[in-house]
Amino acid sequence: MHGNFTYHNPTRLHFGEEAMSHLTGELKNFGPVVMLSYGGGSIKRNGIYDAVVAVLQETGKTIVEDAGVMPNPTYEKVQEGCRLVRDNHVDLILAVGGGSTIDYAKAVSASAYCEEEPWEKYWVNHKDPACPTIPVGAVLTMVGTGSEMNGGSVITNRKAGFKLGKVFGPALYPKFTILNPRFTMTVPQYQMVAGFYDIMSHLMEQYFAGTADCTTDYLIEGLMRSLIHSSRIAAKNPQDYEARANIMWTATWALNTLLKCGKGGDWEVHQIGHAIGLVTDATHGMTLASVSLPYYRHVMHDGLHQFKRFAVNVWGVRPEGKNDEQIATEGLACLAAWMKEIGVVTHSRELGVSEENLQQVADAVLILPVGYRTLTRDEVIDILRESL
Ligand code: NZQ
Ligand code: ZN
């Protein structure tokens, strides 16, 4: 283990089928005006909206309705939310939904009373809020992003031409999150498996960095193995509670800052995925799945030791009689087979990328100087072309 770090995560989690019973107690910690932020209506169809509103009413809260947070939330929508917060003197933003709704709630929280231009300040220049922020609470309905226990807030600004992530400090983490695996049972199969891949990508993008012997790598391998096991069950039978519950818990730990301790991280797959998301508005996890294999084949030789370890420790590849390259290649073949088995997209063409908009996607890719190799723009184009 190398490096210096401080570990602190302030989000209180309530997990399990009875998790909602904790909402009443949590709400007592905040003022009377609650902005209820949610997406395009799934929570109205599956009954979660009614359950949450009942608790808000029982606890005497004034509800400010804030519907229509879209997947890949936009900066325009964030500005709308900010106006609602200011006009109604909101005391708590309760985000009920997936990563998009929770990311959006954090963005509104930090931006509502910001005296500078929030896009430039937070998403472009990565500064921290200097203004009062509104506490955020969450009821998670879709598994994958880890937004329920981190400071991440990914916002799409089409006018600026970027989809960018800001990682806020602990003040912007949800104060509490309700994690009931049953709430995720109505997520459509396509979204569900996209979420599974998002988790795998978070794990891989923290794993494929560094050369030291590091406890964090052992944690990541364990989480990957649990995810692979449970995702195989859930992809065939989405109603399997045990598998869905395991995956929900894995997703939270995959991106709640624990796994960056002692590790540098890579995150280039997410940068390419965000650029695809900007141009096509495709589902986040699928954007990652569509470029991962070309990306990892491209950088495998630069981090051969770790790709070999991945093959043996995660996929159970037998190393006897094989050289490092053969072992590592076999590991990526196992990853590809698993992706096929759970049913994620492996070609960016299926998401709307083509020769015609490939340069536009490449222009929106941030190239990070991390991981085993810093890409050039030409390499980004090669990877995108291979992903078609
Ligand atoms: O809008 P509704 O009607 O609720 O439908 C949503 C949406 O269409 C639906 N859904 C959610 N829960 C459901 C459900 N449908 C039926 N039953 C339920 N229980 O699923 C669709 C996708 O929801 P969304 O919130 O967009 O998905 P996800 O959780 O994957 O979030 C994606 C966003 O998070 C960002 C992504 O870039 C993307 O913008 N990320 C945030 C991160 C973070 N905060 O750390 C990290 C991630 O890497 C990621 O970048
Ligand atoms: Zn992600």
Side-chain angles (χ1 to χ4, degrees):
M1 204 81 174
H2 291 281
N4 302 284
F5 55 82
T6 301
Y7 184 74
H8 168 64
N9 194 314
T11 303
R12 199 165 33 251
L13 300 175
H14 303 288
F15 187 94
E17 290 183 87
E18 307 299 329
M20 266 291 270
S21 63
H22 293 277
L23 186 58
T24 304
E26 288 291 356
L27 290 174
K28 288 187 180 142
N29 299 324
F30 305 96
V33 184
V34 177
M35 183 158 97
L36 178 55
S37 300
Y38 57 98
S42 69
I43 64 164
K44 289 211 164 158
R45 292 188 293 276
N46 59 21
I48 298 171
Y49 176 87
D50 288 342
V52 170
V53 166
V55 179
L56 288 169
Q57 286 170 345
E58 275 160 28
T59 45
K61 301 294 181 184
T62 302
I63 302 172
V64 176
E65 277 277 328
D66 179 27
V69 181
M70 62 293 281
N72 305 321
T74 64
Y75 189 53
E76 285 77 16
K77 179 71 186 166
V78 170
Q79 288 167 314
E80 255 178 63
C82 289
R83 282 191 288 276
L84 271 181
V85 163
R86 289 192 298 264
D87 291 351
N88 296 283
H89 306 287
V90 166
D91 296 307
L92 171 74
I93 305 174
L94 184 59
V96 184
S100 293
T101 304
I102 305 175
D103 280 18
Y104 158 86
K106 295 172 196 166
V108 171
S109 163
S111 305
Y113 296 110
C114 180
E115 286 176 4
E116 296 154 69
E117 214 303 289
W119 176 257
E120 286 296 316
K121 181 178 168 86
Y122 300 135
W123 286 274
V124 176
N125 294 318
H126 295 281
K127 295 206 179 123
D128 291 320
C131 59
T133 57
I134 325 293
V136 171
V139 177
L140 190 68
T141 66
M142 144 99 206
V143 164
T145 65
S147 189
E148 64 273 18
M149 202 187 188
N150 69 31
S153 174
V154 182
I155 300 298
T156 297
N157 186 335
R158 294 223 154 70
K159 226 186 257 169
F162 283 104
K163 175 178 180 182
L164 297 177
K166 158 73 183 157
V167 181
F168 289 106
L172 269 289
Y173 287 34
K175 302 292 178 214
F176 64 87
T177 294
I178 307 289
L179 293 165
N180 181 345
R182 291 260 174 241
F183 287 1
T184 70
M185 295 293 188
T186 51
V187 172
Q189 181 97 8
Y190 184 89
Q191 300 289 344
M192 178 188 77
V193 297
F196 295 173
Y197 193 79
D198 193 19
I199 305 166
M200 189 64 174
S201 199
H202 296 159
L203 293 169
M204 291 193 293
E205 292 185 66
Q206 292 169 103
Y207 186 76
F208 289 121
T211 52
D213 182 34
C214 181
T215 296
T216 302
D217 282 332
Y218 297 80
L219 293 172
I220 297 176
E221 287 164 356
L223 289 169
M224 284 179 178
R225 288 168 59 178
S226 172
L227 174 66
I228 293 161
H229 174 75
S230 293
S231 63
R232 285 181 165 139
I233 297 168
K236 282 200 198 78
N237 178 15
Q239 300 306 313
D240 188 305
Y241 179 84
E242 190 175 60
R244 297 296 291 273
N246 283 331
I247 295 168
M248 185 175 229
W249 194 230
T250 300
T252 301
W253 287 95
L255 199 57
N256 71 355
T257 70
L258 175 72
L259 304 182
K260 75 174 189 184
C261 296
K263 297 282 296 181
D266 176 325
W267 296 113
E268 198 55 48
V269 167
H270 264 67
Q271 304 315 311
I272 304 175
H274 286 342
I276 294 176
L278 173 84
V279 172
T280 65
D281 206 21
T283 296
H284 171 65
M286 294 307 189
T287 66
L288 310 173
S290 74
V291 296
S292 285
L293 291 168
Y295 176 76
Y296 287 126
R297 287 186 191 121
H298 199 86
V299 301
M300 187 186 88
H301 290 100
D302 301 278
L304 198 56
H305 64 284
Q306 193 76 348
F307 282 90
K308 177 185 166 190
R309 178 175 169 161
F310 176 66
V312 175
N313 292 359
V314 177
W315 298 103
V317 170
R318 303 295 302 263
E320 297 84 8
K322 299 168 195 162
N323 65 30
D324 288 359
E325 187 175 340
Q326 288 167 328
I327 298 165
T329 304
E330 215 175 306
L332 290 185
C334 292
L335 171 65
W338 170 74
M339 291 167 76
K340 201 166 164 214
E341 187 180 341
I342 64 166
V344 291
V345 166
T346 48
H347 294 283
S348 61
R349 191 177 290 280
E350 292 173 55
L351 305 175
V353 182
S354 65
E355 277 297 340
E356 287 71 56
N357 60 18
L358 199 131
Q359 302 290 335
Q360 191 194 348
V361 174
D363 286 344
V365 174
L366 292 190
I367 296 176
L368 304 178
V370 288
Y372 290 121
R373 179 190 182 89
T374 303
L375 299 180
T376 62
R377 188 175 188 279
D378 284 348
E379 288 178 306
V380 170
I381 290 174
D382 287 347
I383 289 165
L384 282 169
R385 198 160 274 142
E386 249 180 80
S387 79
L388 290 173

